[in-house]
Amino acid sequence: MEQRISMTTLAVPDVAEARRFFEKGLGWKVNAAPSPEVVFFQVPGCVFALYSRSALADEIGREVTDNTTGAFTLAWNARSEAEVDEAFKTALAAGASPVKQPEKAFWGGYSSYVEIPGGHLLEIAHNPFWTIEDDGSITLPPPQ
């Protein structure tokens, strides 16, 4: 199996609200919405999907937890600390709730967290050790 992730899916209680957050609030473009319960966004190198909990449970064939702030977060990396500050403000204006204000991080970067509609956590960070390519994809430094 190749080392890659093809799609990240969030189960949300209200797909329309989560879609509005990404589409209207953050300016993302929907690539497909095969039903009111499923939305796909193209992101660099993979797909980001929003599913209603019931639609994802049907897809998987088992119940989907409503605990969204457990051991999973999404991250959006900025090219600078100033871009983190601006993206944090944009996310709040789009309907996210603040969890952690932007601040210097112990690992040498600059990081913040918001809770997006649907309850999932989104880290908005700048990592000075990672390269963000023109298309938005991340290139890690070589292994040491």
Side-chain angles (χ1 to χ4, degrees), residues 8-128:
T8 299
T9 302
L10 296 184
V12 296
D14 186 338
V15 172
E17 178 186 28
R19 177 181 176 164
R20 266 191 306 280
F21 173 78
F22 286 100
E23 190 174 27
K24 305 291 186 214
L26 301 186
W28 290 25
K29 305 287 185 240
V30 170
N31 286 77
S35 80
E37 302 299 310
V38 178
V39 176
F40 297 107
F41 297 87
Q42 179 69 62
V43 295
C46 65
V47 174
F48 176 69
L50 301 171
Y51 272 65
S52 70
R53 285 199 177 91
S54 61
L56 189 56
D58 289 346
E59 172 80 17
I60 295 170
R62 70 179 209 187
E63 290 300 309
V64 175
T65 181
D66 61 358
N67 181 2
T68 57
T69 58
F72 176 83
T73 65
L74 297 172
W76 182 87
N77 280 66
R79 290 177 172 85
S80 68
E81 291 182 10
E83 194 176 19
V84 169
D85 292 336
E86 188 60 34
F88 185 82
K89 291 176 193 170
T90 299
L92 296 182
S97 300
V99 173
K100 180 181 175 186
Q101 296 289 322
E103 63 181 40
K104 295 281 187 185
F106 72 92
W107 45 267
Y110 189 69
S111 178
S112 65
Y113 282 88
V114 297
E115 182 179 308
I116 65 174
H120 297 277
L121 294 180
L122 172 64
E123 179 186 21
I124 301 170
H126 169 63
N127 187 329

